[in-house]
Amino acid sequence: MAMVRVALCLFFFAGLFLSCEAGGHVWFGKLFRSRIPIHYVDYGVDSSTSNSRPDIDFIKLGQNPAILSLLDEVDLENLVLTDGFKGMLSTLIDSPYVPSAFQPLLKKLGPYIPYAINNYLACGGEEKPFFDAIDSVRDNPLVKPFLNDTSLLESTLGNSELIAATLPVLYSSVVTNNPPMYDWLVTLPVQCIVDQGYVQPMAVIMAEDTSFDQVAAALPKLVDDYYNTGCVSEQMLAFAPVLLEAFRLPPAQQTSAIFQSKGTTPTGEQVGFTTPFKGGPSILQCLTPNLAILTTVLAVG
């Protein structure tokens, strides 16, 4: 995930040189006039290796203050739709920097990624909170071992039972008890982004050959009904650990677990499946129009 920031920087330079839409000549002049002290920064590039291509520490490069300064000058909302960005994205996906196990899926998602990023920015999503959230995950002690060893990540993702057992703890550490990630998610304009139309086909691709295919296909309606009924992201973020725990249980035990257990917000407020939240409806009320779809993955009633 630390590569996301670096990818945006690489994509920027691709757009700069490969697409006139990026207005690269104008920005390039700004870059030189800004006098960014690039020479004082450790880029994370080891030029002492015997290979023709230097080894790159993407985590260091992603934290580079000069890189962050460059991003402040970039119109990412338009840049991501340029041919340069798309070409660089395709090149990155095919590169050795992406674990081979992830490449087939990323190649399918690739055509939608620029538009999803554009939708995020067009809906009011901000770059700094996103990068802060990514950095907080990268530094998480439960996540860092997997970022340092992609083979460990690949082997873990292949063990569905292990994933199911660790997800609740991981969620608590990465989301609930991690302010940068939580604050970003709770303010994420989910409905606006999904309504633009590019997230749903990505969800369908990721749900192929899984029990979540119907949920993915109905994602826009699920999201619209949830928010239009009056529920908020804070509710679902708090209740998500309950759902993750329920997935580990046999179907006969899932309903009682969902209806009886409660989630907790970072400020200590409890959130139940049938309990109104802050004067608004309960999660059950907001999911009721789509219970038939949800029961294909979880026994919710």
Side-chain angles (χ1 to χ4, degrees):
M1 287 179 286
M3 288 179 63
V4 172
R5 177 179 290 152
V6 178
L8 285 173
C9 301
L10 294 175
F11 300 157
F12 166 72
F13 285 113
L16 185 67
F17 291 106
L18 299 178
S19 174
C20 61
E21 295 175 36
H25 59 290
V26 176
W27 184 86
F28 210 62
K30 286 186 177 181
L31 169 62
F32 280 98
R33 290 195 299 272
S34 67
R35 297 180 181 178
I36 298 170
I38 295 177
H39 56 286
Y40 292 114
V41 182
D42 176 6
Y43 290 97
V45 178
D46 180 7
S47 58
S48 65
T49 59
S50 58
N51 298 326
S52 59
R53 184 185 64 191
D55 291 332
I56 299 176
D57 185 334
F58 277 102
I59 291 179
K60 284 186 180 179
L61 188 57
Q63 293 175 301
N64 186 329
I67 294 294
L68 300 181
S69 296
L70 297 184
L71 285 176
D72 288 339
E73 295 284 344
V74 178
D75 180 6
L76 288 178
E77 183 179 339
N78 291 316
L79 175 64
V80 294
L81 299 183
T82 65
D83 291 339
F85 184 101
K86 295 173 185 177
M88 197 63 188
L89 174 61
S90 178
T91 300
L92 181 63
I93 291 174
D94 284 330
S95 76
Y97 297 118
V98 176
S100 58
F102 301 144
Q103 286 179 336
L105 175 60
L106 288 174
K107 287 180 180 179
K108 292 181 180 179
L109 296 175
Y112 300 98
I113 292 175
Y115 298 95
I117 297 174
N118 172 270
N119 293 164
Y120 167 74
L121 296 169
C123 288
E126 299 181 8
E127 297 156 34
K128 186 179 185 304
F130 169 73
F131 287 134
D132 288 345
I134 294 298
D135 286 343
S136 71
V137 174
R138 183 207 64 230
D139 294 332
N140 186 285
L142 297 181
V143 176
K144 187 172 291 186
F146 297 98
L147 297 179
N148 293 334
D149 185 353
T150 56
S151 62
L152 177 61
L153 177 61
E154 292 182 29
S155 62
T156 302
L157 291 176
N159 189 333
S160 58
E161 292 184 2
L162 178 60
I163 293 175
T166 58
L167 268 180
V169 175
L170 185 62
Y171 182 91
S172 176
S173 178
V174 171
V175 178
T176 307
N177 298 317
N178 179 12
M181 176 58 74
Y182 181 86
D183 293 344
W184 177 66
L185 289 174
V186 81
T187 58
L188 188 68
V190 177
Q191 187 175 14
C192 176
I193 295 171
V194 174
D195 283 348
Q196 304 309 305
Y198 290 98
V199 172
Q200 190 261 359
M202 295 175 71
V204 169
I205 291 172
M206 290 187 286
E208 285 178 355
D209 302 320
T210 74
S211 60
F212 287 86
D213 55 347
Q214 293 186 47
V215 173
L219 186 62
K221 184 177 186 303
L222 285 166
V223 171
D224 279 343
D225 288 344
Y226 178 83
Y227 287 102
N228 290 342
T229 303
C231 285
V232 295
S233 297
E234 187 178 7
Q235 282 172 277
M236 189 56 70
L237 288 173
F239 199 71
V242 175
L243 298 176
L244 293 174
E245 289 284 0
F247 277 118
R248 301 173 53 192
L249 301 173
Q253 301 176 25
Q254 290 177 349
T255 301
S256 60
I258 292 171
F259 277 80
Q260 295 175 14
S261 302
K262 294 183 182 297
T264 306
T265 69
T267 57
E269 296 175 272
Q270 289 195 325
V271 178
F273 193 59
T274 61
T275 307
F277 183 71
K278 293 184 176 181
S282 68
I283 294 176
L284 175 59
Q285 288 175 282
C286 296
L287 297 182
T288 294
N290 300 289
L291 283 182
I293 296 173
L294 296 175
T295 52
T296 61
V297 295
L298 201 62
V300 291

